[in-house]
mmCIF file of all heavy atoms in Angstrom:
data_model
loop_
_atom_site.group_PDB
_atom_site.id
_atom_site.type_symbol
_atom_site.label_atom_id
_atom_site.label_comp_id
_atom_site.label_asym_id
_atom_site.label_seq_id
_atom_site.Cartn_x
_atom_site.Cartn_y
_atom_site.Cartn_z
ATOM 1 N N GLY I 1 138.383 100.393 86.091
ATOM 2 C CA GLY I 1 137.361 99.482 86.605
ATOM 3 C C GLY I 1 136.409 100.136 87.592
ATOM 4 O O GLY I 1 135.396 99.546 87.973
ATOM 5 N N GLN I 2 136.688 101.363 88.020
ATOM 6 C CA GLN I 2 135.813 102.060 88.955
ATOM 7 C C GLN I 2 134.722 102.850 88.237
ATOM 8 O O GLN I 2 133.856 103.438 88.902
ATOM 9 C CB GLN I 2 136.648 103.003 89.839
ATOM 10 C CG GLN I 2 137.590 102.255 90.763
ATOM 11 C CD GLN I 2 138.575 103.178 91.432
ATOM 12 O OE1 GLN I 2 139.340 103.855 90.755
ATOM 13 N NE2 GLN I 2 138.548 103.207 92.766
ATOM 14 N N ALA I 3 134.765 102.872 86.919
ATOM 15 C CA ALA I 3 133.698 103.543 86.170
ATOM 16 C C ALA I 3 132.422 102.706 86.219
ATOM 17 O O ALA I 3 132.466 101.471 86.188
ATOM 18 C CB ALA I 3 134.145 103.782 84.736
ATOM 19 N N GLY I 4 131.261 103.361 86.345
ATOM 20 C CA GLY I 4 129.996 102.649 86.397
ATOM 21 C C GLY I 4 128.920 103.498 87.058
ATOM 22 O O GLY I 4 129.041 104.725 87.166
ATOM 23 N N SER I 5 127.873 102.832 87.540
ATOM 24 C CA SER I 5 126.711 103.519 88.133
ATOM 25 C C SER I 5 126.803 103.470 89.660
ATOM 26 O O SER I 5 126.965 102.403 90.253
ATOM 27 C CB SER I 5 125.414 102.843 87.675
ATOM 28 O OG SER I 5 124.311 103.442 88.294
ATOM 29 N N TYR I 6 126.696 104.659 90.283
ATOM 30 C CA TYR I 6 126.717 104.780 91.733
ATOM 31 C C TYR I 6 125.353 105.310 92.198
ATOM 32 O O TYR I 6 124.823 106.278 91.633
ATOM 33 C CB TYR I 6 127.833 105.728 92.191
ATOM 34 C CG TYR I 6 129.211 105.159 91.982
ATOM 35 C CD1 TYR I 6 129.848 105.257 90.737
ATOM 36 C CD2 TYR I 6 129.878 104.500 93.006
ATOM 37 C CE1 TYR I 6 131.112 104.719 90.541
ATOM 38 C CE2 TYR I 6 131.145 103.964 92.824
ATOM 39 C CZ TYR I 6 131.749 104.076 91.596
ATOM 40 O OH TYR I 6 132.990 103.543 91.405
ATOM 41 N N SER I 7 124.768 104.673 93.209
ATOM 42 C CA SER I 7 123.486 105.106 93.773
ATOM 43 C C SER I 7 123.530 104.918 95.282
ATOM 44 O O SER I 7 124.454 104.292 95.809
ATOM 45 C CB SER I 7 122.329 104.305 93.170
ATOM 46 O OG SER I 7 122.482 102.919 93.450
ATOM 47 N N VAL I 8 122.491 105.488 95.992
ATOM 48 C CA VAL I 8 122.459 105.391 97.437
ATOM 49 C C VAL I 8 121.054 105.024 97.881
ATOM 50 O O VAL I 8 120.053 105.472 97.298
ATOM 51 C CB VAL I 8 122.927 106.705 98.086
ATOM 52 C CG1 VAL I 8 121.995 107.860 97.737
ATOM 53 C CG2 VAL I 8 123.041 106.558 99.605
ATOM 54 N N LEU I 9 120.952 104.161 98.860
ATOM 55 C CA LEU I 9 119.670 103.805 99.484
ATOM 56 C C LEU I 9 119.555 104.568 100.790
ATOM 57 O O LEU I 9 120.472 104.538 101.620
ATOM 58 C CB LEU I 9 119.602 102.303 99.747
ATOM 59 C CG LEU I 9 119.731 101.368 98.510
ATOM 60 C CD1 LEU I 9 119.737 99.914 98.958
ATOM 61 C CD2 LEU I 9 118.593 101.610 97.527
ATOM 62 N N VAL I 10 118.402 105.273 100.965
ATOM 63 C CA VAL I 10 118.159 106.049 102.187
ATOM 64 C C VAL I 10 116.888 105.519 102.852
ATOM 65 O O VAL I 10 115.852 105.336 102.201
ATOM 66 C CB VAL I 10 118.024 107.550 101.884
ATOM 67 C CG1 VAL I 10 117.870 108.343 103.187
ATOM 68 C CG2 VAL I 10 119.220 108.053 101.078
ATOM 69 N N SER I 11 116.966 105.270 104.142
ATOM 70 C CA SER I 11 115.798 104.751 104.878
ATOM 71 C C SER I 11 115.778 105.331 106.278
ATOM 72 O O SER I 11 116.775 105.887 106.747
ATOM 73 C CB SER I 11 115.830 103.219 104.931
ATOM 74 O OG SER I 11 116.956 102.777 105.663
ATOM 75 N N ASN I 12 114.558 105.218 106.945
ATOM 76 C CA ASN I 12 114.441 105.592 108.357
ATOM 77 C C ASN I 12 113.408 104.692 109.006
ATOM 78 O O ASN I 12 112.946 103.712 108.388
ATOM 79 C CB ASN I 12 114.103 107.073 108.510
ATOM 80 C CG ASN I 12 112.769 107.436 107.873
ATOM 81 O OD1 ASN I 12 112.062 106.564 107.370
ATOM 82 N ND2 ASN I 12 112.413 108.721 107.893
ATOM 83 N N ALA I 13 113.010 105.017 110.240
ATOM 84 C CA ALA I 13 112.069 104.156 110.976
ATOM 85 C C ALA I 13 110.727 104.095 110.302
ATOM 86 O O ALA I 13 110.008 103.096 110.387
ATOM 87 C CB ALA I 13 111.941 104.659 112.409
ATOM 88 N N ALA I 14 110.349 105.198 109.644
ATOM 89 C CA ALA I 14 109.034 105.219 109.000
ATOM 90 C C ALA I 14 108.959 104.162 107.924
ATOM 91 O O ALA I 14 107.918 103.539 107.705
ATOM 92 C CB ALA I 14 108.771 106.602 108.423
ATOM 93 N N CYS I 15 110.033 103.999 107.237
ATOM 94 C CA CYS I 15 110.033 102.983 106.183
ATOM 95 C C CYS I 15 109.788 101.604 106.773
ATOM 96 O O CYS I 15 109.050 100.776 106.241
ATOM 97 C CB CYS I 15 111.355 102.997 105.435
ATOM 98 S SG CYS I 15 111.677 104.522 104.526
ATOM 99 N N ALA I 16 110.398 101.364 107.957
ATOM 100 C CA ALA I 16 110.230 100.055 108.587
ATOM 101 C C ALA I 16 108.807 99.879 109.099
ATOM 102 O O ALA I 16 108.200 98.810 108.954
ATOM 103 C CB ALA I 16 111.228 99.912 109.719
ATOM 104 N N LEU I 17 108.247 100.961 109.732
ATOM 105 C CA LEU I 17 106.881 100.848 110.252
ATOM 106 C C LEU I 17 105.883 100.681 109.134
ATOM 107 O O LEU I 17 104.880 99.997 109.274
ATOM 108 C CB LEU I 17 106.545 102.075 111.098
ATOM 109 C CG LEU I 17 107.338 102.192 112.421
ATOM 110 C CD1 LEU I 17 107.022 103.520 113.092
ATOM 111 C CD2 LEU I 17 106.994 101.035 113.347
ATOM 112 N N ALA I 18 106.186 101.359 108.001
ATOM 113 C CA ALA I 18 105.249 101.281 106.883
ATOM 114 C C ALA I 18 105.439 100.013 106.075
ATOM 115 O O ALA I 18 104.662 99.723 105.161
ATOM 116 C CB ALA I 18 105.422 102.499 105.978
ATOM 117 N N GLY I 19 106.469 99.277 106.416
ATOM 118 C CA GLY I 19 106.693 98.035 105.673
ATOM 119 C C GLY I 19 107.145 98.263 104.259
ATOM 120 O O GLY I 19 106.864 97.451 103.384
ATOM 121 N N VAL I 20 107.825 99.402 104.032
ATOM 122 C CA VAL I 20 108.328 99.691 102.683
ATOM 123 C C VAL I 20 109.842 99.732 102.733
ATOM 124 O O VAL I 20 110.456 99.960 103.782
ATOM 125 C CB VAL I 20 107.764 101.030 102.156
ATOM 126 C CG1 VAL I 20 106.257 100.954 102.006
ATOM 127 C CG2 VAL I 20 108.162 102.180 103.051
ATOM 128 N N GLY I 21 110.486 99.535 101.571
ATOM 129 C CA GLY I 21 111.942 99.541 101.491
ATOM 130 C C GLY I 21 112.496 100.953 101.491
ATOM 131 O O GLY I 21 111.746 101.934 101.443
ATOM 132 N N PRO I 22 113.816 101.041 101.539
ATOM 133 C CA PRO I 22 114.444 102.362 101.532
ATOM 134 C C PRO I 22 114.240 103.046 100.191
ATOM 135 O O PRO I 22 113.984 102.413 99.170
ATOM 136 C CB PRO I 22 115.916 102.059 101.778
ATOM 137 C CG PRO I 22 116.110 100.666 101.290
ATOM 138 C CD PRO I 22 114.803 99.954 101.578
ATOM 139 N N GLU I 23 114.389 104.349 100.225
ATOM 140 C CA GLU I 23 114.287 105.141 99.012
ATOM 141 C C GLU I 23 115.635 105.101 98.308
ATOM 142 O O GLU I 23 116.695 105.263 98.935
ATOM 143 C CB GLU I 23 113.926 106.588 99.369
ATOM 144 C CG GLU I 23 113.521 107.437 98.183
ATOM 145 C CD GLU I 23 112.127 107.094 97.668
ATOM 146 O OE1 GLU I 23 111.354 106.453 98.401
ATOM 147 O OE2 GLU I 23 111.843 107.439 96.533
ATOM 148 N N GLU I 24 115.675 104.872 97.016
ATOM 149 C CA GLU I 24 116.923 104.768 96.251
ATOM 150 C C GLU I 24 117.043 105.936 95.310
ATOM 151 O O GLU I 24 116.098 106.288 94.606
ATOM 152 C CB GLU I 24 116.985 103.465 95.457
ATOM 153 C CG GLU I 24 118.287 103.302 94.672
ATOM 154 C CD GLU I 24 118.357 101.967 93.946
ATOM 155 O OE1 GLU I 24 117.397 101.192 94.017
ATOM 156 O OE2 GLU I 24 119.399 101.717 93.297
ATOM 157 N N SER I 25 118.242 106.513 95.333
ATOM 158 C CA SER I 25 118.504 107.617 94.415
ATOM 159 C C SER I 25 118.681 107.072 93.006
ATOM 160 O O SER I 25 118.931 105.876 92.805
ATOM 161 C CB SER I 25 119.757 108.366 94.839
ATOM 162 O OG SER I 25 120.884 107.543 94.620
ATOM 163 N N LEU I 26 118.559 107.992 92.074
ATOM 164 C CA LEU I 26 118.855 107.601 90.705
ATOM 165 C C LEU I 26 120.357 107.342 90.561
ATOM 166 O O LEU I 26 121.177 107.954 91.252
ATOM 167 C CB LEU I 26 118.413 108.686 89.727
ATOM 168 C CG LEU I 26 116.899 108.933 89.651
ATOM 169 C CD1 LEU I 26 116.609 110.080 88.701
ATOM 170 C CD2 LEU I 26 116.164 107.671 89.221
ATOM 171 N N GLY I 27 120.785 106.435 89.676
ATOM 172 C CA GLY I 27 122.203 106.111 89.509
ATOM 173 C C GLY I 27 122.988 107.262 88.896
ATOM 174 O O GLY I 27 122.492 107.959 87.999
#
């Protein structure tokens, strides 16, 4: 049941100031 797609969201203050969401890696 642990098989599947794993990805990560990366963000910093710039993303918040720019009003954009975090950057997401490919699965």
Side-chain angles (χ1 to χ4, degrees):
Q2 294 169 301
S5 177
Y6 290 83
S7 61
V8 63
L9 300 176
V10 184
S11 64
N12 61 4
C15 295
L17 292 174
V20 296
E23 192 74 17
E24 181 177 2
S25 69
L26 294 177

